[in-house]
Amino acid sequence: MIDLRSDTVTKPTEAMRQAAYNAEVGDDVYGEDSTVNRLEELAAEKLGKEAALFVTSGTQGNQIAVLTHCQPADEVIMEANAHVFVYEGAAMSALAGIQPRTINGVRGAMNPKEVEAAIRPEDIHFPETGLICLENTHNKAGGTVIPLDNMAAIKDVASQHNIPVHLDGARLFNAAVASGIPVHKFAEQTDTVQFCLSKGLGAPVGSMLAGPKEFIDRARKWRKRLGGGLRQVGMVAAPAIVALNEMVDRLADDHENAKRLADGLANIDGINIEEEVETNIILVNVEELGLTSEEFIQKLKQEGILSGSYGTHSVRLVTNYGVTKEDIDTVLHKVNQIAHKKLTY
């Protein structure tokens, strides 16, 4: 099967498997796992932050950030289709007791003036604005890179109002590779950052949360409260070190394959590309074929191609490590056959 459901389906490289086998380990709750300590130092260095914390997933990293930044009954500003709002099970309300405040963005980017207007004034009737969340790349906007100047403008607004900014940077390294802007430049526009090791970077598990040392010390306690205090975690930290050292530059291959796929799909009758492709995510609309997304997905599956539904007629395809140019050509051939048959008969 050609698996285009997500970049979470990547398998660890042989170097990662060997690193896991040979990893020096210890009890991380006691701070004695030297491998995860090295990983946290490496992640902090790459993002230009004082400290970093290994967490089990991107969702856990985002939620620990909210719990550490906010007090119950705070309000958090975020884009209306942000992952933290759409895909994390209302965790910030359930766990942190906060209220989301959503703003409609353009290709995932919020207007800084609208962000400032959403900040609550001092009033007994209102919650307090405790945090502003950004997302880069933006998943629901089709892997869009949020421009650095947009992030900087929002950070300026936040600073004027003494409000911290958290970045859900699950695919932040995709943004850096696609834009040519070093990853630490994006991180500079935020107080804290979460990024995933287990998506395009190909590590088997985990994410990182980075920020000021004092913040990370408090976040570590929240990780423990959430059951995220692990023991011999070096066995998963070692592959993550390989991912950060060896798998960043190759993200450009995923982006090239995504654009190759999008360009080919755009030339097939009945197929429409919903968003300009900047990184490794393609959103395809199949309404003109007279198919729902689920019907189209089943037809792809019958041809040995896996994809995911993103709406009634919207299908998401995600290029990833393990998907080759030859696979892309195969997908284009099969989609062309499906579309031709549907439109002809």
Side-chain angles (χ1 to χ4, degrees), residues 53 74 87 113 130 142 184 198 203 213 249 251 267 275 288 319:
L53 179 68
D74 278 356
Y87 290 118
K113 292 181 179 179
H184 69 87
S198 57
K213 184 180 184 304
D249 291 343
L251 292 172
N267 289 319
E275 299 282 357
E288 289 185 14
T319 54

Side-chain angles (χ1 to χ4, degrees), residues 47 49 106-113 115 132-138 144-160 163-173 175-176 179 181-194:
L47 269 65
K49 298 299 185 185
V106 177
R107 289 177 58 78
M110 295 183 289
N111 186 319
K113 292 181 179 179
V115 172
I132 298 170
C133 283
L134 306 177
E135 181 179 341
N136 204 359
T137 63
H138 196 288
T144 300
V145 179
I146 303 302
L148 188 66
D149 58 357
N150 175 265
M151 293 180 63
I154 292 174
K155 184 65 168 69
D156 286 344
V157 167
S159 297
Q160 291 168 21
I163 297 169
V165 176
H166 172 68
L167 174 62
D168 174 5
R171 295 183 175 90
L172 183 58
F173 284 87
S179 66
I181 297 171
V183 70
H184 69 87
K185 290 294 186 180
F186 288 106
E188 282 178 3
Q189 311 309 321
T190 69
D191 295 278
T192 57
V193 184
Q194 176 275 127

Side-chain angles (χ1 to χ4, degrees), residues 7-8 47 57-59 62 83-84 88 134-139 166-175 183 193-202 206-208 251 280-281:
D7 44 14
T8 61
L47 269 65
S57 69
T59 294
N62 287 334
H83 192 280
V84 292
E88 297 188 10
L134 306 177
E135 181 179 341
N136 204 359
T137 63
H138 196 288
N139 182 13
H166 172 68
L167 174 62
D168 174 5
R171 295 183 175 90
L172 183 58
F173 284 87
N174 289 88
V183 70
V193 184
Q194 176 275 127
F195 72 87
C196 288
L197 299 157
S198 57
K199 290 188 168 70
L201 297 181
S207 292
M208 303 302 302
L251 292 172
N280 66 326
I281 297 175

Side-chain angles (χ1 to χ4, degrees), residues 271-322:
I271 298 290
N272 291 292
I273 306 300
E274 294 184 346
E275 299 282 357
E276 179 185 351
V277 174
E278 295 185 32
T279 55
N280 66 326
I281 297 175
I282 309 105
L283 301 182
V284 179
N285 192 290
V286 296
E287 186 172 9
E288 289 185 14
L289 291 179
L291 295 171
T292 66
S293 58
E294 292 295 344
E295 290 169 339
F296 186 74
I297 286 166
Q298 286 305 311
K299 289 182 179 296
L300 286 180
K301 189 174 182 179
Q302 291 169 7
E303 299 293 339
I305 302 162
L306 299 178
S307 57
S309 176
Y310 239 45
T312 305
H313 299 285
S314 182
V315 176
R316 188 181 77 156
L317 306 171
V318 184
T319 54
N320 56 80
Y321 179 67

Side-chain angles (χ1 to χ4, degrees), residues 8-78:
T8 61
V9 302
T10 55
K11 302 294 192 298
T13 65
E14 184 60 31
M16 292 180 189
R17 295 174 188 271
Q18 287 297 319
Y21 181 80
N22 294 313
E24 294 182 7
V25 298
D27 192 322
D28 182 44
V29 175
Y30 290 124
E32 295 174 354
D33 192 300
S34 60
T35 304
V36 79
N37 292 343
R38 284 195 292 115
L39 170 63
E40 290 173 347
E41 291 168 2
L42 177 62
E45 178 184 350
K46 285 188 176 292
L47 269 65
K49 298 299 185 185
E50 287 183 346
L53 179 68
F54 179 83
V55 293
T56 57
S57 69
T59 294
Q60 187 181 71
N62 287 334
Q63 296 310 317
I64 289 174
V66 172
L67 286 158
T68 308
H69 279 299
C70 297
Q71 298 296 319
D74 278 356
E75 189 167 72
V76 177
I77 296 172
M78 66 201 71

Side-chain angles (χ1 to χ4, degrees), residues 220-298:
R220 192 176 295 273
K221 179 170 281 190
W222 270 115
R223 186 186 70 172
K224 177 63 176 174
R225 289 178 179 135
L226 296 176
L230 303 176
R231 302 300 178 177
Q232 286 71 37
V233 72
M235 296 192 72
V236 290
I241 292 172
V242 175
L244 281 175
N245 286 331
E246 299 182 6
M247 300 293 281
V248 173
D249 291 343
R250 62 142 302 277
L251 292 172
D253 296 337
D254 295 345
H255 301 170
E256 182 180 344
N257 283 336
K259 289 174 183 176
R260 180 185 181 92
L261 179 55
D263 289 345
L265 291 171
N267 289 319
I268 297 175
D269 290 341
I271 298 290
N272 291 292
I273 306 300
E274 294 184 346
E275 299 282 357
E276 179 185 351
V277 174
E278 295 185 32
T279 55
N280 66 326
I281 297 175
I282 309 105
L283 301 182
V284 179
N285 192 290
V286 296
E287 186 172 9
E288 289 185 14
L289 291 179
L291 295 171
T292 66
S293 58
E294 292 295 344
E295 290 169 339
F296 186 74
I297 286 166
Q298 286 305 311

Side-chain angles (χ1 to χ4, degrees), residues 109-138:
M110 295 183 289
N111 186 319
K113 292 181 179 179
E114 293 182 10
V115 172
E116 185 162 33
I119 295 172
R120 298 288 191 167
E122 183 61 39
D123 190 300
I124 194 172
H125 299 90
F126 296 153
E128 295 181 8
T129 303
L131 182 66
I132 298 170
C133 283
L134 306 177
E135 181 179 341
N136 204 359
T137 63
H138 196 288

